[in-house]
């Protein structure tokens, strides 16, 4: 091992020594002195980083309903007023009715209900490389849609209620994290409707006589997933 | 509805796995944001998110990495929401000044300021390695970058700090 290579390694990991690095240090007094200097520096860095901690308050933690995964915290994700922003800049959504959740919360629009729904499904936020089985997917979507395997890695599937309809709620693993896909075969819209929430963004896309909502982390390149999902879904009539 | 005992069990798990990490989460958030006041807000949000998503944590031994990932994301969301400017080292807030308050050890003070001035890309892996004890492979996973990039950033971070360390040593000898 050369001195330059040794010093780069030591500067990156002062405490970790491979056999080759240890051998070089034993033979090169200058590099050994460099190692000791870096280790002294690291002790100082460690002390510098250990800042005093003030008294930290724990936030109030409301009970969670584990059976339905409904979170009883106040809705935090909806950026108000989403529906005003939509009306100002996007084509008119064909359905503008009052929406109800199973727990009687009221939303003025489909988009608000969809964004709020994400707060009720903490299990859908899981980052994983495990796909659900084909049987599981079929049991959730089988009555209303077909989906081929090109949509991506589907890691979550359950039936949820949106606007009084039972719909498939799926999660596809994206580049930045889990991407929620809601298949809405009963929600016909004229044009795409953007979705916004804290740290998330998405869209409801018109697909035949229904629509599909796709929401991910703000930095997720959703357009790629949108195309794959729309191309992979066929409604069953 | 979850039974009272199930809720209590969940809360115990949270206390055992998450609440014990409160101080580490705060220190990490402070060095990410370079502002203790912001760090408190970020950690509060991270705690709430961890509470809501606790069932998604399958392996308690992975809790620390899971929580620090949540803190990273909350920090990024905070800065995105507030559209904060980058830190102006000559115009610190009261809370940032408190973080860099002088101690009896001038060398420690200078190294702390030098760490504060490091770019985010260099400061974060250094904090994860030295303060949180992560390996370069674990840091690469957490930051979603290659291990080679982690090694390069650590090496550059330390070389920047080494100059400060050595000049302080010379001053102390004089």
């Amino acid at each position: 091992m050369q001195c330059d290579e040794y010093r780069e390694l030591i500067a990156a990991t002062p405490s970790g020594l491979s056999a080759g690095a240890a051998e070089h240090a034993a033979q090169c007094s200058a590099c050994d002195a460099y190692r000791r200097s870096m280790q002294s520096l690291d002790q100082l860095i460690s002390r510098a980083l250990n800042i005093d901690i003030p008294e930290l308050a724990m936030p109030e933690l409301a009970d969670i309903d584990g059976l339905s995964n409904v979170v009883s915290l106040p809705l935090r994700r909806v950026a108000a007023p989403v529906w005003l922003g939509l009306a100002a800049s996007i084509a008119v959504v064909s359905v503008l009715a009052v929406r109800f959740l199973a727990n009687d919360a009221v939303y003025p629009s489909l988009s608000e209900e969809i964004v709020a729904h994400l707060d009720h499904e903490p299990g859908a936020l899981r980052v994983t490389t495990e796909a659900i089985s084909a049987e599981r997917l079929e049991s959730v979507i089988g009555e209303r849609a077909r989906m081929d395997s090109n949509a991506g890695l589907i890691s979550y599937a359950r039936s949820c209620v949106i606007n009084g309809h039972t719909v498939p709620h799926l999660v596809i693993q994206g580049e930045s994290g889990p991407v929620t896909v809601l298949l809405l075969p009963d929600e016909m819209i004229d044009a795409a409707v953007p979705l916004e929430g804290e740290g998330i963004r998405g869209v409801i896309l018109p697909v035949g006589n229904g629509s599909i909502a796709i929401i991910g982390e703000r930095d997720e390149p959703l357009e790629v997933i949108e195309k794959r999902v729309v191309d992979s879904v066929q409604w069953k009539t | 509805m979850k039974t009272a005992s199930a809720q209590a069990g969940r809360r115990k798990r949270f206390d055992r796995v998450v609440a014990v990490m409160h101080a580490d989460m705060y220190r990490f958030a402070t060095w990410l944001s370079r502002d203790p006041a912001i760090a408190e807000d970020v950690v509060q949000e991270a705690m709430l998110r961890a509470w809501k998503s606790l069932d998604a944590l399958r392996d308690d031994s992975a809790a620390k990495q899971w929580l620090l990932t949540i803190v990273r994301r909350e920090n990024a969301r905070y800065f995105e929401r507030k559209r904060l400017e980058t830190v102006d080292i000559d115009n610190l807030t009261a809370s940032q000044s408190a973080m860099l308050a002088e101690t009896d050890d001038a060398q420690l003070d200078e190294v702390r300021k030098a760490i504060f001035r490091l770019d985010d890309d260099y400061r974060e892996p250094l904090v994860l390695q030295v303060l949180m004890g992560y390996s370069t492979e674990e840091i690469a996973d957490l930051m979603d970058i290659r291990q080679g990039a982690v090694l390069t950033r650590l090496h550059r971070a330390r070389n920047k700090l080494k100059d400060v360390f050595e000049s302080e040593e010379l001053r102390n000898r004089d």
Side-chain angles (χ1 to χ4, degrees), chain B residues 25-107:
Chain B
M25 289 165 75
Y26 173 81
R27 281 202 181 95
F28 181 52
T30 301
W31 283 108
L32 274 188
S33 64
R34 291 185 288 187
D35 191 321
I38 291 174
E40 281 199 55
D41 287 346
V42 164
V43 170
Q44 288 272 309
E45 291 294 317
M47 283 285 188
L48 283 169
R49 195 167 286 276
W51 171 245
K52 284 159 65 176
S53 308
L54 189 61
D55 297 333
L57 177 64
R58 291 183 182 180
D59 177 4
D60 286 6
S61 66
K64 185 174 171 182
Q65 190 152 348
W66 179 66
L67 289 167
L68 295 187
T69 302
I70 294 175
V71 168
R72 288 188 87 235
R73 287 194 184 157
E74 287 304 323
N75 184 68
R77 285 194 186 109
Y78 188 98
F79 277 82
E80 189 186 281
R81 272 202 310 273
K82 305 282 184 187
R83 299 186 201 281
L84 291 172
E85 299 297 322
T86 53
V87 167
D88 179 355
I89 199 78
D90 295 319
N91 284 297
L92 299 176
T93 64
S95 131
Q96 287 168 328
S97 295
M99 188 178 164
L100 298 177
E102 286 181 357
T103 65
D104 294 335
D105 188 335
Q107 194 179 46

Side-chain angles (χ1 to χ4, degrees), chain A residues 14-31:
Chain A
S15 306
L17 269 188
S18 64
E23 193 182 326
H24 178 86
Q27 290 166 357
C28 177
S29 57
C31 282

Side-chain angles (χ1 to χ4, degrees), chain A residues 161-181:
Chain A
V161 175
I162 300 285
N163 189 26
H165 299 292
T166 301
V167 304
H169 175 162
L170 311 177
V171 170
I172 291 176
Q173 293 296 317
E175 282 179 33
S176 300
V179 175
T180 289
V181 174

Side-chain angles (χ1 to χ4, degrees), chain A residues 129-156:
Chain A
T129 54
E130 290 176 26
I132 59 169
S133 66
E135 291 75 23
R136 172 72 188 153
L137 180 63
E138 177 63 19
S139 72
V140 170
I141 73 170
E143 279 189 19
R144 305 303 307 274
R146 279 186 210 88
M147 206 163 170
D148 65 37
S149 56
N150 295 324
L153 193 156
I154 300 176
S155 58
Y156 178 94

Side-chain angles (χ1 to χ4, degrees), chain A residues 73-220:
Chain A
L73 292 168
L75 295 170
R76 292 169 50 246
R77 280 199 174 219
V78 179
V82 171
W83 56 274
L84 275 179
L86 293 175
S89 60
I90 303 296
V92 175
V93 176
S94 62
V95 180
L96 283 175
V98 175
R99 321 281 168 180
F100 293 91
L101 287 178
N103 61 355
D104 292 336
V106 174
Y107 296 94
S109 71
L110 177 64
S111 54
E112 280 204 74
E113 182 171 349
I114 287 171
V115 172
H117 181 74
L118 298 185
D119 270 341
H120 299 172
E121 300 259 353
L125 300 176
R126 193 173 299 152
V127 175
T128 178
T129 54
E130 290 176 26
I132 59 169
S133 66
E135 291 75 23
R136 172 72 188 153
L137 180 63
E138 177 63 19
S139 72
V140 170
I141 73 170
E143 279 189 19
R144 305 303 307 274
R146 279 186 210 88
M147 206 163 170
D148 65 37
S149 56
N150 295 324
L153 193 156
I154 300 176
S155 58
Y156 178 94
R158 63 176 287 169
S159 298
C160 297
V161 175
I162 300 285
N163 189 26
H165 299 292
T166 301
V167 304
H169 175 162
L170 311 177
V171 170
I172 291 176
Q173 293 296 317
E175 282 179 33
S176 300
V179 175
T180 289
V181 174
L182 295 169
L183 303 185
L184 309 166
D186 302 305
E187 303 290 351
M188 189 158 62
I189 57 174
D190 293 333
V193 175
L195 301 170
E196 290 283 337
E198 282 186 28
I200 58 169
R201 67 180 182 96
V203 66
I204 313 174
L205 294 169
V207 179
N209 291 334
S211 56
I212 298 178
I214 301 171
I215 311 108
E217 299 279 322
R218 191 165 288 282
D219 54 4
E220 181 73 46

